[in-house]
Amino acid sequence: MTSSSSGSCRFADYFVLAGIDTDSGLEPDELSGENFDQSPLRRTFKSKVLAHYPQNVEYNPFDQDAVNMLCMPKGLSFRTQAESRDPQFHSFLITREDGSRTYGFVLTFYEEVTCKQICSAMQTLYQMHNVEQYSSVYASSSCSMDSLASSIDEADSTSLAKLQRYNSYDISRDTLYVSKCICLITPLPFMQACRKFLLQLHKAVSSQQPPPLPLESYIHNVLYEVPLPPPGRSLKFSGVYGPVICQRPGLSELPLFDFPLREAFELLGLENLVQLFTCVLLEMQILLYSQDYQRLMTVAEGITALLFPFQWQHVYVPILPASLLHFLDAPVPYLMGLQSKEPNDRSKLELPQEANLCFVDIDNHFIELPEDFPQFPNKLEFIQEISEVLLHFGIPPEGNLHCSESATKLKNLVLDDLVNDKKNGNLTSNTINMYELLKGNETLARLQALAKRTGVAVEKMEIAPPPAAEKEKDTKCQCSEEELRDYKLTVQLREVFANRFTQMFADYEAFVIQPTQDMDSWLTNREQMQNFDKASFLSDQPEPYLPFLSHFIETQMFATFIDNKIVSLWEEKDPLLRVFDSRIEKMKIYSVRIPTLRTSNYQKCTVLKEAAQAIEQRLVKIDHTAIHPHLLDMKIGQGKYEHGFFPKLQSDVLSTGPTNNNRWANRSTTAQRRKDRLRQHSEHLALDNDLKEKYIQEARSIGKSLRQPKLSDLSPAVIAQTNWKFVEGLLKECRIKTKRMLVEKMGHEAVELGHGEANITGLEENTLIASLCDLLERIWSHGLLIKQGKSALWSHLLHYQESEEKREATVETPVAAGPERRRSDSGLNLPTLRVSLIHDMRHVQHMSEIKTEVGRARAWIRLSLEKKVLSQQLKQLMFNQALIKKLYKRYAFLRCEDEKEQFLYHLLSLNAVDYFCFTSVFTTIMIPYRAVIIPIKKLSNSITTSNPWISVSGELGDTGVMQVPKNVLEMTFECQNLGKLTTVQIGHDNSGLLAKWLVDCVMVRNEITGHTYRFPCGRWLGKGVDDGSLERILVGELITPVVEEDLSKQCRTPPQLRSPTIARRLSITSLGGKTGKPNAGQIQEGIGESINNIVKHFHKPEKERGSLTILLCGEFGLVSALEQVFHHGFKSARLFQKNVFIWDFIEKAVTYFETAEEDEESQENLLQLKVCSATFCQYVNAITAAPRSIGKDGKLQLLVCLGARDHLLPQWIPLLAECPVISRMYEDGALLRDHAAVNSLIRVLQTLHEFNITLEASLVKGIDL
């Protein structure tokens, strides 16, 4: 969490005082973007660092502007005696270039303004303001006083008298106060200790009695005489009125974290917090929103602490000063906190980028999540385990609305509840727990004060005091009971979170790809290296984890974690990694889990007790005590005390520490020695350290150089420079993502073709596409001026659509219809599908399933990817210059010409692969299809008198039988998404004189995605011709789309009449034709290949198997392979007689079996054979009896499919081979008459027994077994 500055061994680096600079007077703070309609007391003015001690620390240079901005993010604020002036505490952090952090802890309080000029300036501002207000109020009596409402109780009527009272400052009557702050800047985040110290310091100023010693003594002490506690130890030092304690975890414990997680859980509620945690893990853009700076910091630090062993790698600004609001259009993942001006002003917040934004309204207990992101694994059990820890400490898991409502809401809501219901639903009935929960609870104290002011009577709550034993314990522990409970709760919650990662990534090391080269070359080639075997890792995980893990292992934080693991081969291990690895080791020793078996069983955290004890021990027995504050050598008369004013400190005693600080000398020398050793080591590596750092920084990639916006310098040049870095980062990210999508997909397709190992899953493809969608949204939201709705990309598309439709209305173009009509006349091909961005948008707009803009943008991206037009369509969008200039600022990515070109080039590369990312995701939408039946005209009637019909099936369903209008070879129909198309059934009713029909193929196209399938036939349909079939089942193949340029060529030459494919031709005896017959070896190879493909099919994950029908009935499927076996040596062509078909042989065999059964009852050894022959006859008869007009080859296909499904083929083949009919119908050399060949065929077919084959409904329709 904290890589503290290496050089520091002091508890605090700086003490800072910031406030009003009386010399420069009242300067309005334009950067904070305040408007001048507000009354002067509500405006913000520039603050200034008035003093800081010491002047500079070499390892942590003082950044005046950043500190000023973060100490007083809203600038100075003024109050009068009529308003509350309680001191406010908040913390901040500054991330340096190298990623290390410095923490600041600030107490802001109000001091009376003594400078007359400032008081009179305020009076003048008020007079001017009131003149304007009166004129506007009288001008319109119904004027809404929005700008004032924030400072006025909503219940009050806005009468002028009241306005004057609230909104006035009268120099003669009122006292003016101004904010001032004191701040400690420290290398480590000891929040509790710093807060205590500052509160005591403030108390010394505001109390009636002067402090025991001058304030300089205490400040000098904390700056120079209090060391950092060593790891695993605790330390006590002195504040003004009492001891201050801090403790630091040991090297094997979770890293230091000193903010109370209790607050984060109370503010958000457990469910919300887990959702936010998931968004942070997936590196979305996170915007925290609250009126209170400390809340922003508590939630931001809390949520990043829970990431252990991972670390947030992107922009991290828990408190975004008002002057840096332009950072919200950073097109990178970020975690930022924004202070809200009023309790409910979310509606006024203009956010450039919302498609991937998680918006957390802390004060209203509310969180807006991005659309469809995966849930954290075992989320329910995880939440259950955390609730148990929370309830054990008396914290309600649903959060505590006490601490999260504005005062007015609290007044109405919570007080009524407290009156009516003593438990208020938030407190458990256990009295002790209740006491613990409420003892010293600020909320309750505030409520009581509020109740007093508003005159609501609250019943006394009976709370039992804690038993005596607890009181004794209190004396032993060095900090208050409540603090100790907070420490224990925090560490136990963190342990539960850390345990999830220890369980999930217990075997991660096995999948790290170890480098073969040395560190220098590894760092230089970091970009090209794969360093984690993602596919194997995912295949090893339980199914329910996959949606989350496949996203998570693509994040920068995971990549950095793995990088650190690899770098630890050469260097000392990263501290977080060291702790994590040691936990995994420990878990493996204690658990008997077989390392290779991953289960999704939930394993709870077992070290909660030990973790809490370790902290308690440190707090009970303090290891170190620092030197007490003492009088310093100060000038007489200085350091004098004036009640209510922070004194002007004497700088000469605070600017330097004691000359010799013996106690830490030895510690710093060992640290120095270790540094020298490391230096020599890096010199030995002959790689200059700066250069190495540079490599590492570059290697650790994209958002890193922008970890922290430079707070101090806001010149236009710097803003331009930052935006330029963003543009470069986006381009680089686009390059990496498209490359990854290509490599994965190409690898997958190579496997389909039989090379290598499969390594992409549909899940992984979805993850990559989702991250591409996210990248496009970020690019489109960079530098945005005008935006409607949450998606910047969809908003741009809508603007484009509007401008195009206006243009189309003015220019009516009847040109496009020409070539289209000519091509459909020929009837031999589908008319070309018009590619149009607007058309695709309309398709998406008509999809009622999608309810949001972000969803529409994603659907459009998926559709364009599937159509292979993403690059082309975005180009149209990006080069509509007039529109881009209207919508985007000058520095936006979309206005950088060269980068745009490169970006489109990267996207163009995605056209090399086939995606079905639209069809496979939107499975319930209605899709228009177009079908064309293409007859072979030379050999058949182009007209038929019969009534044809067609039925189309796909992976997701089928259309049912649809009549095709007579003599129309083309039809369009609409039905629910069929998915990838698999088969077409085509047939006719054989009516009329010209009933016979020779069909070449059927083409079917999805009119939205443009995917076109060709279903080859090449056979007759009709009685008394070919095999007498009136219907056929055709198996489809996706055809590659014709590229624009090829269209012109195609129009000139008539489309070639493609002959049917070889495998089909074997059974087309009717067409004669001298096709070279395959020999026995080739046939056996074909069988092996077809079986092999089916086996591979079943070894894929279920969701990615594709169509089994193609593997059974397709061109090189099982049916055609077995047909070849049956055709080998078959005496088919007879002179002057009809052709004989394999089915004729099968029918003869059945007749033989049925008659043989009656004759040979005597032989017992035929019992087995009889059972087989009986089932065989039953199947053949069922097929013959089916009310379908399929021909002989169709019946054979059906028999093979049913035999494969019911695992009967290995029994039927020997039956047929032994049947006496075979000698009459087959030549001697036939495969079926060769014992060895038959036996090997049986063995091969038996490999299908372990698979559960289901047949498509279209194949087995009407078969009754």
Side-chain angles (χ1 to χ4, degrees), residues 1176-1195:
F1176 179 67
C1177 298
Q1178 178 198 351
Y1179 274 71
V1180 174
N1181 292 332
I1183 291 171
T1184 315
R1188 290 169 61 177
S1189 338
I1190 45 180
K1192 293 178 178 177
D1193 283 346
K1195 288 174 180 168

Side-chain angles (χ1 to χ4, degrees), residues 742-752 755 757-760:
L742 270 175
V743 168
E744 288 293 5
K745 196 72 173 159
M746 294 283 204
H748 188 48
E749 288 175 357
V751 172
E752 297 285 303
H755 316 294
E757 277 302 312
N759 66 346
I760 190 174

Side-chain angles (χ1 to χ4, degrees), residues 862-1094:
R862 283 173 174 277
L863 177 56
S864 304
L865 254 184
E866 187 162 321
K867 292 179 78 166
K868 304 192 178 192
V869 292
L870 183 62
S871 175
Q872 176 190 341
Q873 301 205 339
L874 289 178
K875 186 173 182 174
Q876 282 182 357
L877 207 57
M878 292 167 104
F879 287 93
N880 182 333
Q881 298 294 2
L883 189 58
I884 294 265
K885 278 187 176 140
K886 183 175 115 185
L887 298 179
Y888 288 90
K889 298 174 187 153
R890 180 65 205 92
Y891 63 73
F893 183 94
L894 294 185
R895 291 185 67 179
C896 302
E897 297 306 315
D898 294 351
E899 280 64 29
K900 277 193 332 198
E901 288 287 355
Q902 289 181 50
F903 162 76
L904 289 168
Y905 170 73
H906 292 314
L907 287 183
L908 188 60
S909 62
L910 294 177
N911 290 2
V913 292
D914 294 322
Y915 284 100
F916 286 90
C917 49
F918 180 83
T919 317
S920 59
V921 168
F922 301 105
T923 51
T924 57
I925 59 173
M926 296 301 286
I927 291 188
Y929 291 91
R930 179 185 295 262
V932 177
I933 299 163
I934 301 176
I936 298 183
K937 286 198 175 160
K938 286 181 185 166
L939 302 170
S940 92
N941 334 322
S942 49
I943 314 169
T944 172
T945 52
S946 55
N947 300 299
W949 57 266
I950 185 172
S951 166
V952 183
S953 308
E955 287 177 3
L956 301 173
D958 66 66
T959 58
V961 169
M962 299 179 294
Q963 292 299 326
V964 182
K966 260 193 201 164
N967 295 322
V968 174
L969 299 174
E970 187 176 318
M971 64 183 285
T972 50
F973 56 93
E974 190 172 84
C975 65
Q976 189 169 318
N977 187 352
L978 298 171
K980 291 181 189 171
L981 301 188
T982 51
T983 60
V984 159
Q985 279 174 282
I986 181 173
H988 62 76
D989 61 358
N990 205 37
S991 59
L993 291 169
L994 297 169
K996 299 179 187 125
W997 202 22
L998 179 56
V999 175
D1000 178 37
C1001 67
V1002 177
M1003 310 279 276
V1004 182
R1005 180 172 67 205
N1006 176 326
E1007 294 289 274
I1008 292 185
T1009 64
H1011 281 312
T1012 309
Y1013 295 82
R1014 183 172 183 278
F1015 298 85
C1017 175
R1019 306 283 299 262
W1020 286 92
L1021 289 168
K1023 282 270 185 273
V1025 63
D1026 201 337
D1027 65 346
S1029 182
L1030 289 185
E1031 62 175 270
R1032 294 197 183 279
I1033 295 176
L1034 312 178
V1035 179
E1037 50 192 6
L1038 180 67
I1039 56 178
T1040 44
V1042 178
V1043 192
E1044 298 286 300
E1045 294 84 81
D1046 300 350
L1047 288 180
S1048 52
K1049 294 181 203 160
Q1050 269 217 341
C1051 295
R1052 289 197 208 101
T1053 56
Q1056 293 189 340
L1057 300 174
R1058 282 189 49 190
S1059 54
T1061 46
I1062 298 269
R1064 280 268 162 255
R1065 281 298 289 277
L1066 284 174
S1067 54
I1068 308 181
T1069 40
S1070 57
L1071 285 177
K1074 296 267 184 289
T1075 40
K1077 286 189 177 169
N1079 59 35
Q1082 290 167 331
I1083 291 174
Q1084 284 170 310
E1085 210 172 280
I1087 288 275
E1089 196 57 34
S1090 64
I1091 300 270
N1092 211 355
N1093 286 335
I1094 295 175

Side-chain angles (χ1 to χ4, degrees), residues 1062-1063 1086 1089-1090 1093 1110-1121:
I1062 298 269
E1089 196 57 34
S1090 64
N1093 286 335
I1110 291 178
L1111 301 181
L1112 290 170
C1113 311
E1115 191 171 330
F1116 299 107
L1118 181 62
V1119 174
S1120 76

Side-chain angles (χ1 to χ4, degrees), residues 56-71:
N56 208 16
V57 176
E58 63 167 316
Y59 48 80
N60 179 11
F62 189 75
D63 184 341
Q64 183 134 345
D65 296 324
V67 171
N68 178 37
M69 205 181 260
L70 290 165
C71 278

Side-chain angles (χ1 to χ4, degrees), residues 1112-1181:
L1112 290 170
C1113 311
E1115 191 171 330
F1116 299 107
L1118 181 62
V1119 174
S1120 76
L1122 278 172
E1123 267 183 11
Q1124 298 213 24
V1125 171
F1126 280 110
H1127 270 288
H1128 190 259
F1130 185 59
K1131 305 171 180 171
S1132 59
R1134 308 288 166 88
L1135 284 174
F1136 313 119
Q1137 288 174 19
K1138 275 192 185 160
N1139 285 323
V1140 185
F1141 289 88
I1142 304 286
W1143 189 253
D1144 297 325
F1145 164 59
I1146 295 219
E1147 283 182 329
K1148 287 203 172 116
V1150 168
T1151 319
Y1152 165 76
F1153 291 136
E1154 285 173 351
T1155 53
E1157 248 173 53
E1158 293 153 21
D1159 303 347
E1160 305 167 19
E1161 301 218 336
S1162 53
Q1163 297 179 1
E1164 312 89 66
N1165 70 333
L1166 285 181
L1167 196 65
Q1168 174 77 44
L1169 214 57
K1170 275 167 75 177
V1171 178
C1172 297
S1173 60
T1175 55
F1176 179 67
C1177 298
Q1178 178 198 351
Y1179 274 71
V1180 174
N1181 292 332

Side-chain angles (χ1 to χ4, degrees), residues 165 261 291 352 532 654 741 754 897 932 1019 1233:
R165 189 189 75 224
L261 270 178
Q291 280 187 285
F532 188 72
L654 289 179
M741 284 172 77
E897 297 306 315
V932 177
R1019 306 283 299 262
R1233 296 182 68 174

Side-chain angles (χ1 to χ4, degrees), residues 263-326:
E263 277 182 38
F265 278 88
E266 282 180 339
L267 287 165
L268 292 177
L270 172 52
E271 169 76 27
N272 281 347
L273 195 121
V274 170
Q275 294 286 52
L276 169 61
F277 174 67
T278 313
C279 289
V280 173
L281 282 170
L282 298 175
E283 298 191 331
M284 301 183 167
Q285 293 181 317
I286 316 285
L287 184 61
L288 309 175
Y289 195 60
S290 167
Q291 280 187 285
D292 181 336
Y293 295 123
Q294 186 57 13
R295 281 182 182 178
L296 294 173
M297 194 70 181
T298 302
V299 173
E301 283 287 278
I303 210 80
T304 49
L306 294 175
L307 297 176
F308 170 89
F310 306 103
Q311 287 169 289
W312 179 256
Q313 296 297 322
H314 299 276
V315 176
Y316 180 64
V317 191
I319 296 175
L320 186 69
S323 52
L324 289 183
L325 273 182
H326 62 274

